[in-house]
Amino acid sequence: GGGGGGRGRGRGGGGRGRWSDGPASGGHGDGGSQGAGVVRPFHELGRTLESIDGRGYGSYKEIQCGFAAETHTLTIDRVQGDPYAAPSRARISVPNALARFPAALYASRARERALCDFLARAFSRKVTGNRLDQKAGGGSWHGAKGGDVEVDTPGQHILERTSCMLLRGQGGSVDAVEVRFTVGLPAQGRNVMGQWAYDILATHLPRIARETLWHDQHDSAAILAHCVSCEDQHCLRLSLAEHRLVAFVRDGAILPRASGASDTPLSGDNAVPFASPPSLRVTLPLKNGGEISGMGIAPGVSLIVGGGFHGKSTLLDALKVGVYDHVPGDGREFVVAAPQSVAIRAEDGRSITGTDISNFIQNLPRGKDTVNFSTQDASGSTSQAANTIEAVEAGATCLLIDEDTCATNFMIRDKRMQMLVAAHLEPITPFLFKVRDIYESAGVSSIVVIGGCGDYFDVADIVISLEAYLPSEVTDRAKAIAAEVPSSLGDLEALKMTRPRSRIPDHSAMSAVVDGREKVLSRTRDAIDFGEVRIDLTAVQQLVEHSQTRAIGEILLYSAQHMADGVTVRELLRRIESDLDEKGLDVVKPGYRLGNLARPRPLEIAAALNRFRGLRVRQVDPE
């Protein structure tokens, strides 16, 4: 479509005579089914923008519909109310009859997720490369403003997301590929800048769609390799249990990150490739052929030890995100952990509602109940106890723990302290006394970074030592030390776990209404404003993208409105997963076609639910 001249010329309002140029009317056959309602010929977009140029900003509502060309359909799903409001939501789709992505690229859910990830990255790069992500503004009130296009750009992880999707028709065949984005419709003061809007919507975005959403624009080997890598990682993770493992770290992996503010891999001489200890090296088959070797960690209690700054936490951090697939070249691809692995830490100040922490905490002053424990201001030990029990309740199969982020009195209490503080005055049973039975009775493994308490040697199955970022197995040496220097704590295997009571949430308490309207908003990865309540997710360590947090907020509202009452937390999570598997992320906000959601795990959904300060639950017998 015509109207060239770029953003600069668009701001000046030139080229009006060409606004109605462009693809002929018509469009692909399924355009109407993809629209927000009305679908008009594409050339009418230019005519409409020309007719409203210079009028009040609300006139942009006239383009809130679909516009079908021969090669694509552009749909404006929601027009912002004014230049200062949240930007307008839009999407562009290309029929697969033209895009021609081979079925091999979406032959499995993992491959489809990877294909959409690849295309979202490509579209985002083009938007940035064309400087369409830069908004005008900052001058006078009467100055130009808006004009920015924003795509939810993936990070280092390949997640199911709504910024790029395959649209399927009857029978499950792929009809089209769609990218969703927001655009700040440009304004001069509060008046429409029609030429600039036309340049964005009718010139730049269709060109970018042609350059990114057609298979012939990509290196076919690279896009297939992206999909195969994701599928191989996904299937490797799912096969861990079959191979009697809870984690695997490939030889040659680059685990450290570039910095604390970057998730990209460290480069240069400081990036030490991982090399498995011979005694822990396993070789596993890959879904698409070939094998991969690396360190396997078996179920049970595993310790990671070593001196400070030698890579203990770096290894554990890689395992925390090993529940996700990584982009090729990340360095942590094929570093995988059991899908239900959960990072546990202390979390002073969090709220706890009706959680049975009696396995770890009993005999609180004034007889406070720990079987049905609630507080709005948890201590380090009670928060870590609740985090542990809630993770198991939500289906965790492996706990990932770093002593640096733990409550000391939850992890250990030595003999001298036991002698000073009588047993009947100490309500805490340390994790050390329970970790063995958490595995033996509940089947939940633990991988623990520990550097200050050798008493854990007695309960460990495997001890891995990090020295200058390279691991070695020191289990035999640790057990010999434990025998030579016996623990003074007594029988560490004597305290057994009891099954904590299950909880049933009260959906009526999950209100997001503020001043008569629902409000679910997330401004950062670490928090959700759910109605009048702030849900603090700072300590939920396995959220890797802000889009997951946005999705959790919408999922909590969806579950409160659509899920049956009277089901336990675990059953609620199972039903949510079933809906997401069957209908995709759009199910949580029907009709809105949000482009900034990424799928979270059930475990992070549960973590947010448990931190909602208005939560009400009732307990039932253990499931």
Side-chain angles (χ1 to χ4, degrees):
R7 292 185 63 207
R9 183 172 176 181
R11 291 179 187 177
R16 290 190 184 186
R18 304 177 62 189
W19 283 16
S20 298
D21 294 351
S25 63
H28 55 85
D30 60 356
S33 67
Q34 297 175 35
V38 176
V39 179
R40 297 156 58 187
F42 198 81
H43 70 272
E44 291 189 11
L45 174 60
R47 291 177 181 172
T48 304
L49 288 171
E50 184 173 20
S51 71
I52 65 174
D53 185 42
R55 287 164 48 185
Y57 198 85
S59 300
Y60 270 130
K61 293 288 185 183
E62 295 185 27
I63 65 168
Q64 187 168 295
C65 62
F67 295 93
E70 293 178 351
T71 58
H72 64 276
T73 295
L74 172 73
T75 304
I76 314 296
D77 286 308
R78 176 191 172 276
V79 168
Q80 63 206 86
D82 65 65
Y84 301 97
S88 303
R89 293 197 308 269
R91 51 198 163 99
I92 194 165
S93 62
V94 174
N96 200 39
L98 298 177
R100 301 181 66 83
F101 287 103
L105 297 180
Y106 50 85
S108 67
R109 292 188 71 122
R111 287 195 180 200
E112 180 174 335
R113 172 163 47 89
L115 171 60
C116 293
D117 175 270
F118 188 95
L119 299 179
R121 293 173 192 275
F123 194 93
S124 177
R125 282 195 299 270
K126 287 290 185 179
V127 166
T128 301
N130 284 271
R131 302 179 64 207
L132 291 179
D133 59 335
Q134 300 179 27
K135 69 168 66 177
S140 70
W141 183 89
H142 298 284
K145 54 184 67 66
D148 53 313
V149 176
E150 183 175 343
V151 185
D152 184 34
T153 307
Q156 296 298 105
H157 311 90
I158 302 176
L159 306 177
E160 179 183 338
R161 61 182 69 251
T162 58
S163 60
C164 182
M165 305 172 68
L166 301 186
L167 305 181
R168 296 181 180 271
Q170 293 183 349
S173 61
V174 172
D175 287 348
V177 58
E178 177 175 277
V179 169
R180 300 174 180 179
F181 49 89
T182 61
V183 54
L185 293 174
Q188 188 84 37
R190 291 187 182 272
N191 296 327
V192 168
M193 295 187 72
Q195 176 65 57
W196 186 7
Y198 183 82
D199 288 345
I200 295 169
L201 299 174
T203 303
H204 296 303
L205 288 172
R207 174 174 49 78
I208 290 173
R210 179 63 181 90
E211 293 171 348
T212 60
L213 302 184
W214 293 51
H215 183 254
D216 64 10
Q217 297 295 302
H218 298 286
D219 180 332
S220 58
I223 197 168
L224 179 61
H226 193 86
C227 295
V228 167
S229 175
C230 178
E231 184 179 47
D232 279 343
Q233 292 177 66
H234 175 74
C235 292
L236 180 65
R237 185 179 301 104
L238 295 183
S239 74
L240 288 176
E242 172 189 342
H243 296 290
R244 291 289 300 160
L245 298 173
V246 294
F248 173 84
V249 184
R250 71 170 173 90
D251 288 330
I254 302 297
L255 304 185
R257 301 294 89 186
S259 72
S262 172
D263 202 30
T264 56
L266 184 67
S267 59
D269 295 339
N270 291 328
V272 178
F274 188 88
S276 173
S279 58
L280 297 179
R281 181 172 285 116
V282 296
T283 300
L284 304 176
L286 295 176
K287 165 75 173 177
N288 291 289
E291 297 177 327
I292 191 166
S293 295
M295 182 177 76
I297 299 179
V301 180
S302 301
L303 304 183
I304 301 174
V305 304
F309 307 101
H310 280 259
K312 304 187 300 297
S313 295
T314 299
L315 173 56
L316 193 74
D317 287 344
L319 295 179
K320 290 175 186 176
V321 294
V323 298
Y324 301 112
D325 303 319
H326 295 82
V327 294
D330 172 75
R332 298 171 301 186
E333 62 269 50
F334 298 101
V335 176
V336 295
Q340 285 78 41
S341 298
V342 180
I344 300 295
R345 58 164 296 164
E347 190 177 350
D348 297 56
R350 67 153 286 195
S351 63
I352 300 171
T353 304
T355 301
D356 181 358
I357 62 171
S358 60
N359 276 293
F360 297 105
I361 314 285
Q362 293 184 348
N363 303 321
L364 288 176
R366 300 183 180 180
K368 186 171 178 62
D369 188 4
T370 61
V371 173
N372 191 341
F373 182 78
S374 297
T375 181
Q376 290 293 308
D377 187 18
S379 67
S381 57
T382 55
S383 65
Q384 192 166 347
N387 289 346
T388 303
I389 295 299
E390 290 166 357
V392 174
E393 175 187 42
T397 59
C398 183
L399 307 179
L400 306 174
I401 301 172
D402 189 333
E403 67 173 354
D404 284 351
T405 59
C406 291
T408 301
N409 59 345
F410 181 81
M411 296 297 290
I412 180 66
R413 187 172 72 257
D414 66 19
K415 187 65 175 179
R416 288 177 175 175
M417 191 59 69
Q418 290 184 39
M419 293 175 66
L420 179 65
V421 180
H424 70 279
L425 296 176
E426 176 51 74
I428 303 171
T429 299
F431 186 72
L432 171 65
F433 289 87
K434 296 284 190 176
V435 61
R436 184 82 242 154
D437 200 58
I438 290 176
Y439 171 64
E440 293 178 354
S441 350
V444 179
S445 299
S446 295
I447 300 175
V448 185
V449 168
I450 199 84
C453 180
D455 288 322
Y456 273 87
F457 295 168
D458 292 273
V459 296
D461 295 299
I462 296 293
V463 184
I464 301 165
S465 176
L466 270 293
E467 183 177 345
Y469 312 108
L470 293 174
S472 59
E473 189 199 349
V474 294
T475 308
D476 290 344
R477 175 62 178 147
K479 293 296 185 182
I481 291 171
E484 180 182 344
V485 186
S487 170
S488 60
L489 300 183
D491 185 1
L492 297 180
E493 310 242 359
L495 298 176
K496 301 296 182 182
M497 285 283 291
T498 59
R499 294 177 66 193
R501 291 175 62 78
S502 298
R503 298 176 302 151
I504 295 176
D506 179 357
H507 293 319
S508 67
M510 298 292 294
S511 173
V513 176
V514 178
D515 296 330
R517 299 181 62 182
E518 289 175 349
K519 174 191 171 186
V520 178
L521 178 66
S522 174
R523 293 183 174 88
T524 69
R525 188 178 66 182
D526 298 331
I528 300 167
D529 290 329
F530 194 87
E532 296 181 338
V533 178
R534 170 68 57 90
I535 303 175
D536 185 356
L537 301 176
T538 305
V540 180
Q541 303 170 70
Q542 288 161 289
L543 284 173
V544 293
E545 291 194 14
H546 185 193
S547 303
Q548 291 178 299
T549 308
R550 293 192 198 99
I552 289 174
E554 300 296 347
I555 288 169
L556 291 180
L557 182 61
Y558 170 77
S559 65
Q561 294 177 340
H562 298 281
M563 293 292 169
D565 290 321
V567 298
T568 63
V569 170
R570 185 174 292 195
E571 175 60 17
L572 177 65
L573 297 174
R574 188 197 66 76
R575 295 185 185 188
I576 291 171
E577 278 293 279
S578 177
D579 280 1
L580 294 177
D581 285 342
E582 180 182 349
K583 303 170 185 175
L585 279 164
D586 276 346
V587 72
V588 303
K589 199 77 170 174
Y592 280 73
R593 297 180 177 87
L594 300 177
N596 59 354
L597 305 181
R599 186 163 176 174
R601 299 189 305 158
L603 292 149
E604 279 68 58
I605 298 172
L609 175 68
N610 288 321
R611 286 158 179 78
F612 178 64
R613 290 185 178 271
L615 182 64
R616 291 199 301 262
V617 301
R618 62 182 175 88
Q619 288 191 345
V620 294
D621 291 337
E623 294 176 276

